[in-house]
């Protein structure tokens, strides 16, 4: 009740993290659009909730630049799950690279073919598995087992060769540290998306080995390649700032929302919250993971981000696949941009439970959702679409032989 009565203008006057010592705060406040804020400037947090529930999609888009992450985090805390779903479903964010992500009635999937030793054959098998089950339109993205320049370059080259050979309208990414990706760009590697994990404070980002200047340098390097339009892929997750003692005494949800301000400064193709990955030390059980996932998705979409969620948990959390099924379904109704596609939902490199290729097919089928249009057309051309269940003979030998 106390939070509901706080005027929105107070968040501009009293930063939760000091302006003088934090570049993320400066990014938020210096970039605040007063004209966009004007329609809601007189509201309190409670009144903002009511306004959001009544607003049309165009009105939500119009105020994006005027809403700060702290305001969004604040209003999320007084909203029911159905409120978080209803408002997020009205927020439409469309991004493009080789295909178009975030269109109405669409659900994209990151094909995540991780392997504990970065073995090319193992990765290729997972890529084939995912493509045959309609995954990969968001990105084919590998979390590398090592962050070495040589391994990253090799994996980038392999993924790009597969993409080019079959003219797959998607993008590839090796989720190495941004400095490794920069070195790969300097060596002429085929880099589509630049990945980086980010946090909501300057100190949290420092713990990841980055700052805003480095992210800007990487963005400029990716632009110089001329390969696509939206060029960045960011991951976030509640608790990382607390782990690094970089939260300034601020709660996890608010710091998480502040990370979205960092992301939107670089017009990313994809952003996702790895909501349950950090473990029960921060989100205790399935109920908390569900709440956090819907809050993260709502906050990111309202701030104008192409928001996905890694619907996941670690094996020592008080959660199970039933919890993930419920969250996945709620996110689908809420208009989530993309989810993860992991073979069998069990990531053999990162050792956590996520969502499978089949889970994404369930969600598309249950809610009448489809892949990105360019990717959907490719699936049909290859005989993988809904009209055919035959294995395309042209795909299998080349992919399996990549090792």
């Amino acid at each position: 009740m106390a939070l509901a009565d706080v005027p929105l203008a107070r968040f501009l006057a009293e930063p939760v993290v000091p302006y003088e010592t934090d570049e993320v705060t400066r990014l938020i406040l210096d970039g605040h659009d007063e004209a966009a804020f004007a329609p809601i400037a007189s509201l309190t947090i409670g009144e903002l909730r009511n306004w959001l529930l009544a607003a049309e999609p165009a009105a939500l888009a119009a105020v994006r630049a005027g809403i700060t992450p702290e305001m969004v985090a604040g209003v999320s805390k007084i909203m029911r799950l159905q409120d978080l779903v209803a408002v997020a479903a009205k927020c439409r964010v469309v991004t493009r690279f080789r295909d178009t992500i975030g269109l109405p009635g669409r659900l994209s999937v990151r094909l995540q073919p991780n392997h504990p030793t970065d073995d090319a054959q193992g990765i290729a098998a997972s890529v084939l598995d995912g493509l045959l089950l309609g995954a990969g339109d968001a990105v084919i993205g590998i979390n590398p087992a090592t962050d070495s320049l040589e391994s990253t370059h090799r994996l980038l080259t392999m993924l790009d060769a597969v993409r080019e050979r079959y003219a797959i309208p998607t993008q590839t990414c090796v989720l190495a540290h941004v400095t490794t990706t920069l070195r790969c760009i300097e060596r002429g590697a085929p880099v589509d998306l630049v990945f980086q994990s980010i946090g909501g404070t300057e100190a949290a980002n420092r713990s990841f080995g980055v700052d805003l200047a480095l992210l800007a340098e990487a963005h400029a390097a990716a632009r110089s390649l001329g390969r696509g339009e939206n060029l960045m892929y960011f991951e976030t997750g509640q608790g990382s700032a607390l782990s690094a003692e970089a939260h300034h005494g601020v709660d996890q949800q608010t710091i998480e929302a502040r990370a979205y301000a960092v992301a939107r400064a670089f017009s990313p193709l994809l952003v996702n919250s790895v909501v349950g990955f950090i473990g029960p030390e921060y989100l205790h059980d399935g109920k908390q993971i569900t709440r956090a996932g819907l809050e993260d998705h709502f906050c990111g979409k309202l701030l104008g981000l192409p928001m996905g969620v890694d619907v996941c948990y670690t094996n020592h959390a008080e959660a199970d696949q039933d919890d993930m099924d419920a969250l996945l379904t709620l996110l689908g109704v809420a208009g989530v941009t993309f989810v993860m596609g992991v073979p069998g939902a069990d990531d053999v490199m990162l050792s956590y439970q996520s969502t499978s290729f089949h889970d994404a097919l369930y969600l598309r089928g249950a809610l009448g959702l489809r892949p990105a249009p360019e990717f959907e057309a490719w699936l049909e051309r290859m005989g993988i679409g809904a009209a055919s269940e035959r294995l395309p003979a042209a795909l299998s030998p080349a992919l399996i032989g990549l090792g």
Side-chain angles (χ1 to χ4, degrees):
M1 291 174 67
L3 178 59
D5 289 336
V6 177
L8 298 184
R10 187 172 172 186
F11 290 89
L12 298 173
E14 302 176 24
V16 298
V17 180
Y19 180 94
E20 296 76 15
T21 59
D22 188 88
E23 66 175 2
V24 176
T25 300
R26 293 193 291 274
L27 174 71
I28 292 167
L29 294 180
D30 292 351
H32 183 253
D33 188 327
E34 292 187 7
F37 182 57
I40 57 172
S42 64
L43 303 182
T44 64
I45 285 290
E47 292 167 339
L48 177 62
R49 170 190 174 271
N50 296 337
W51 185 90
L52 291 171
L53 288 168
E56 296 296 325
L60 295 175
V63 300
R64 281 175 185 165
I67 299 180
T68 69
E70 292 84 355
M71 296 174 194
V72 172
V75 76
S76 76
K77 295 174 186 179
I78 65 167
M79 297 175 81
R80 297 173 60 179
L81 293 189
Q82 66 177 241
D83 297 341
L84 297 171
V85 170
V87 176
K90 296 188 290 185
C91 298
R92 188 57 57 190
V93 183
V94 178
T95 55
R96 295 176 177 85
F97 199 95
R98 293 189 184 91
D99 56 359
T100 308
I101 310 297
L103 291 169
R106 307 281 175 169
L107 171 70
S108 293
V109 183
R110 171 190 160 189
L111 203 171
Q112 184 171 310
N114 296 344
H115 191 277
T117 63
D118 290 338
D119 177 74
Q121 275 195 315
I123 290 169
S126 293
V127 170
L128 175 63
D129 188 17
L131 290 173
L132 292 175
L133 290 168
D137 53 336
V139 64
I140 303 175
I142 303 170
N143 294 93
T146 66
D147 201 53
S148 75
L149 176 61
E150 291 72 20
S151 178
T152 301
H153 195 156
R154 174 177 59 83
L155 294 174
L156 283 167
T157 301
M158 183 192 82
L159 289 180
D160 196 58
V162 173
R163 181 196 61 77
E164 283 200 328
R165 178 165 185 173
Y166 300 103
I168 308 172
T170 190
Q171 33 290 330
T172 62
C173 184
V174 175
L175 283 67
H177 191 269
V178 64
T179 53
T180 303
T181 304
L182 272 170
R183 293 175 66 194
C184 284
I185 291 174
E186 292 169 358
R187 286 177 49 161
V191 173
D192 285 345
L193 302 182
V194 175
F195 168 82
Q196 183 56 45
S197 294
I198 54 173
T201 68
E202 179 177 340
N205 284 322
R206 192 182 307 121
S207 75
F208 287 127
V210 301
D211 56 23
L212 296 180
L214 179 59
L215 294 176
E217 179 186 353
H219 186 236
R223 285 174 61 92
S224 72
L225 299 178
R227 294 173 71 88
E229 184 175 337
N230 299 109
L231 302 167
M232 306 294 281
Y233 175 14
F234 294 116
E235 281 191 349
T236 69
Q238 291 193 26
S240 57
L242 181 58
S243 299
E245 297 185 352
H247 61 299
H248 297 268
V250 181
D251 65 277
Q252 290 179 194
Q253 173 62 12
T254 301
I255 296 297
E256 169 72 7
R258 283 168 54 95
Y260 304 151
V262 176
R264 73 174 177 177
F266 299 98
S267 302
L269 180 77
L270 307 166
V271 178
N272 74 270
S273 167
V274 284
V275 65
F277 181 73
I278 204 167
E281 298 84 0
Y282 301 94
L283 296 171
H284 173 67
D285 56 18
K287 186 177 180 66
Q288 289 190 5
I289 292 171
T290 297
R291 176 79 198 184
L294 291 171
E295 286 176 344
D296 292 352
H297 178 255
F298 161 82
C299 290
K301 290 293 284 292
L302 190 56
L303 289 168
L305 290 176
M307 200 70 193
V309 177
D310 190 346
V311 180
C312 64
Y313 64 101
T314 55
N315 288 314
H316 63 307
E318 294 295 325
D320 59 29
Q321 210 64 38
D322 283 344
D323 297 312
M324 299 305 105
D325 285 350
L327 176 54
L328 177 67
T329 305
L330 286 165
L331 286 166
V333 176
V336 70
T337 300
F338 70 104
V339 295
M340 304 299 123
V342 177
D346 185 358
D347 193 298
V348 295
M349 195 279 283
L350 293 173
S351 297
Y352 79 116
Q353 308 303 310
S354 185
T355 46
S356 70
F357 306 133
H358 302 79
D359 292 331
L361 288 177
Y362 144 72
L363 196 60
R364 283 174 176 164
L367 299 180
L369 303 172
R370 296 153 62 192
E374 301 89 346
F375 192 81
E376 182 180 40
W378 178 82
L379 290 172
E380 291 292 342
R381 288 197 303 272
M382 298 298 291
I384 310 173
S388 173
E389 295 183 359
R390 63 186 175 84
L391 179 76
L395 267 177
S396 180
L399 284 173
I400 291 175
L402 279 173

